[in-house]
Amino acid sequence: MTNEFPPISPAALASSADRQRGLRYLSVGIAINALIWGITLFLLKDSPQVYTSQWSVLLLGKEGRNPDYALSQGVSASQAKPPLIRESDIKTSYKIIATTDTVRKAAAAKVGITADQFGKPQVELVEGTALMNFAISGSTREEAQKKAYALHEALQERLTQLRLQQAEEEQAGFENALRISRKKLETAQLRLSDYKVKAGLASKDQLDQLASNIETLRRIRAEIAAQQQDASTRARQLAANLNVTSRLAADAFTLRADALFQQYLQQYSESTAKLTDLSVKFGPNHPLVVRETAKQAAIQQALQARAQAILGRALDATAMAQLNLGSSAQTETARESLFKAIVTNQTEQEGLTARIQELDRQLNYLENRLNVMAQNSQYLDALNRNMKIEESVFSSRLAGLDASTGDIFGSYPPIQLVADPDLPETGIVPRRQPYFRIALLLSLVSTLVLLGFWFRKTAAARYFLHRYKLSG
């Protein structure tokens, strides 16, 4: 009986074995991977979920003052113009403040848990806007929302504390600078007051007044000098016309006022007239002429003696003749009028000369005083400038103190809740990535191991097939 089926070659048998082996390894790989991922999904399904509540706040203030700068300078922000804090810097500061242990502990106390259980919030700064997005997680929907409200309240309270603390520090700094400025102002005022008393100079107006007085005295002196020159000229002209000096004219009136001298003068005139008559009738040696000549000489000697007693100096006959103004009983003559004019002008000249001398003395005193006061005025101006500067600094710091007490939002502007914390609908499993990473690693390892076994079996089968061909 013949064989109906042709013999199967070893190569065909080896190829069929490879296919069956590959299917077995593929099935095992699928099963192992299904087991790994099944276990992973089961663990993820039974893991506790967390819920995240989200909310948004709006930064109302866009720019603030740097508090450290104001405290270090001790002046108002409007005067010193310190660098402004940018909005991005403020949002970054608020982000740090919201995640500090102080705020977290305060928020945790509001919901009755510890800070570690409370967790750390997530803060996102929305670029180009004044918005800040917050997120906090909880084990339940309600817990997440409560923690969100508690964190927002704790952040507001902390910002209020920082504002009050900043206001107190700024006020203390301003008050300290204000005390220093007040002390400097009082010192400047005291120095100015003491110098005014010491120098006798209250203000610069005194210099103007003193200069005005000097100019007035100079004008008066010029007018008096002109009057004195006019009186001197008149006196000299009259004296030249009468061929007498001003002194002799004054002596004439002095002698005219003396009754005894006038009596002697009357007797001398009568004796002279009688001697003239006798000389015409008789010769010089006639007893009457001799007796009258002796009488005249005696009267003349008495006149000279009286004149010397009155004037303090001797007068000769010529001078006495010039001084003869006539008897006081007579009416005023033209000569007497001219003598009176000479004496009047001389007296006026002497009076004006005395006034000029007094004015010169006053001018010299006032000019010296003006020079001294002008020098003192420079120092007075310096003291005044110093006092005004201290007054300006004191006023600015006082204004800065008022401004600082009224602006508590300078560096910590208020925030407004624009989106309330939501109540999350679904939860998420925390730390899912480690599970997926482990599952993926196990899948890769198992697959690589199966591929290694498969390649090894395949290589061994091909080796035996090759030996079989060589032996056949």
Side-chain angles (χ1 to χ4, degrees):
M1 180 174 180
T2 61
N3 192 3
E4 295 181 356
F5 298 97
I8 300 174
S9 63
L13 290 173
S15 177
S16 176
D18 288 341
R19 285 194 298 272
Q20 292 178 1
R21 189 184 306 110
L23 291 174
R24 287 197 302 273
Y25 278 104
L26 179 62
S27 300
V28 172
I30 293 174
I32 292 174
N33 280 281
L35 179 62
I36 292 173
W37 287 102
I39 294 173
T40 300
L41 293 177
F42 176 77
L43 293 176
L44 290 175
K45 181 180 179 182
D46 292 342
S47 297
Q49 295 183 346
V50 295
Y51 298 86
T52 301
S53 178
Q54 299 178 348
W55 72 99
S56 300
V57 299
L58 177 66
L59 185 66
L60 297 181
K62 292 186 176 182
E63 289 181 338
R65 289 187 298 106
N66 189 339
D68 296 333
Y69 183 88
L71 288 175
S72 63
Q73 298 297 323
V75 294
S76 63
S78 61
Q79 178 198 9
K81 297 182 179 179
L84 297 177
I85 304 176
R86 294 179 301 177
E87 180 185 276
S88 59
D89 297 335
I90 298 177
K91 292 197 298 182
T92 303
S93 300
Y94 279 18
K95 178 180 179 180
I96 296 174
I97 294 172
T99 56
T100 57
D101 293 339
T102 302
V103 175
R104 290 173 54 244
K105 288 179 180 179
K110 292 180 181 294
V111 294
I113 57 178
T114 64
D116 293 335
Q117 293 173 341
F118 189 85
K120 189 173 183 179
Q122 299 176 0
V123 184
E124 178 189 3
L125 307 180
V126 182
E127 296 294 336
T129 67
L131 290 173
M132 300 174 64
N133 295 330
F134 290 81
I136 190 69
S137 299
S139 58
T140 63
R141 299 168 58 200
E142 292 76 8
E143 183 186 56
Q145 190 179 45
K146 289 180 179 179
K147 290 169 67 174
Y149 277 113
L151 180 65
H152 181 72
E153 293 177 1
L155 176 61
Q156 290 280 38
E157 293 173 357
R158 180 56 180 165
L159 291 178
T160 301
Q161 292 175 357
L162 292 175
R163 293 184 189 114
L164 295 176
Q165 181 180 357
Q166 175 195 339
E168 293 176 356
E169 292 176 353
E170 283 191 357
Q171 185 173 4
F174 275 114
E175 289 178 351
N176 183 47
L178 192 63
R179 284 194 298 271
I180 297 175
S181 179
R182 182 185 292 109
K183 185 64 177 179
K184 290 182 178 180
L185 177 59
E186 292 174 353
T187 302
Q189 291 174 340
L190 183 60
R191 290 178 61 188
L192 179 61
S193 177
D194 291 344
Y195 188 76
K196 284 181 178 180
V197 174
K198 180 180 178 181
L201 182 63
S203 66
K204 200 173 182 180
D205 294 338
Q206 287 181 260
L207 291 177
D208 298 336
Q209 183 65 34
L210 184 57
S212 177
N213 293 339
I214 290 175
E215 290 300 322
T216 301
L217 290 179
R218 286 175 178 171
R219 185 178 67 254
I220 295 174
R221 186 192 183 283
E223 294 175 356
I224 294 176
Q227 296 174 9
Q228 187 260 355
Q229 184 66 27
D230 182 60
S232 178
T233 301
R234 291 198 306 269
R236 285 197 305 269
Q237 186 65 38
L238 289 173
N241 292 338
L242 296 175
N243 194 22
V244 293
T245 63
S246 300
R247 183 176 183 181
L248 289 176
D251 291 344
F253 283 99
T254 301
L255 296 176
R256 190 169 187 267
D258 186 74
L260 183 56
F261 181 83
Q262 290 299 316
Q263 182 180 352
Y264 289 154
L265 184 61
Q266 180 68 26
Q267 293 175 0
Y268 180 79
S269 297
E270 293 176 354
S271 177
T272 302
K274 186 177 181 180
L275 181 59
T276 301
D277 291 340
L278 291 174
S279 298
V280 173
K281 296 178 180 180
F282 307 104
N285 296 324
H286 192 277
L288 292 177
V289 175
V290 173
R291 186 174 57 249
E292 196 62 36
T293 300
K295 181 181 179 180
Q296 183 189 38
I299 296 174
Q300 183 178 1
Q301 185 177 1
L303 276 173
Q304 291 177 346
R306 185 59 181 171
Q308 185 174 2
I310 296 174
L311 302 177
R313 69 178 189 279
L315 293 177
D316 55 14
T318 303
M320 292 182 62
Q322 290 178 339
L323 296 180
N324 186 10
L325 298 178
S327 175
S328 59
Q330 297 176 351
T331 59
E332 184 177 308
T333 62
R335 180 179 177 84
E336 183 180 357
S337 299
L338 293 175
F339 269 56
K340 184 181 294 186
I342 293 173
V343 173
T344 301
N345 289 321
Q346 180 64 26
T347 304
E348 181 180 357
Q349 177 190 355
E350 293 175 355
L352 294 174
T353 301
R355 290 186 62 186
I356 290 175
Q357 292 176 352
E358 177 62 22
L359 288 174
D360 289 339
R361 186 189 65 79
Q362 293 180 7
L363 284 172
N364 183 59
Y365 169 76
L366 293 179
E367 287 173 353
N368 291 335
R369 185 181 177 190
L370 180 62
N371 292 332
V372 174
M373 291 180 66
Q375 296 176 1
N376 294 338
S377 176
Q378 297 178 359
Y379 189 65
L380 181 66
D381 290 341
L383 292 178
N384 274 320
R385 286 193 300 269
N386 185 50
M387 189 189 70
K388 289 181 180 178
I389 291 173
E390 295 300 336
E391 286 179 346
S392 177
V393 172
F394 180 77
S395 299
S396 64
R397 288 179 176 173
L398 185 61
L401 178 61
D402 295 338
S404 66
T405 55
D407 181 18
I408 63 172
F409 299 101
S411 298
Y412 301 98
I415 57 176
Q416 183 179 12
L417 190 65
V418 295
D420 293 338
D422 60 353
L423 189 65
E425 295 294 336
T426 59
I428 58 174
V429 177
R431 301 174 184 174
R432 291 183 299 176
Q433 291 183 356
Y435 288 95
F436 286 116
R437 289 175 181 174
I438 293 173
L440 181 61
L441 180 61
L442 292 176
S443 296
L444 290 175
V445 170
S446 61
T447 301
L448 290 175
V449 170
L450 291 175
L451 286 174
F453 279 113
W454 181 77
F455 280 118
R456 183 179 178 184
K457 293 292 185 180
T458 302
R462 290 179 180 179
Y463 174 76
F464 286 116
L465 179 63
H466 179 69
R467 292 286 300 274
Y468 176 75
K469 288 181 179 181
L470 290 178
S471 62

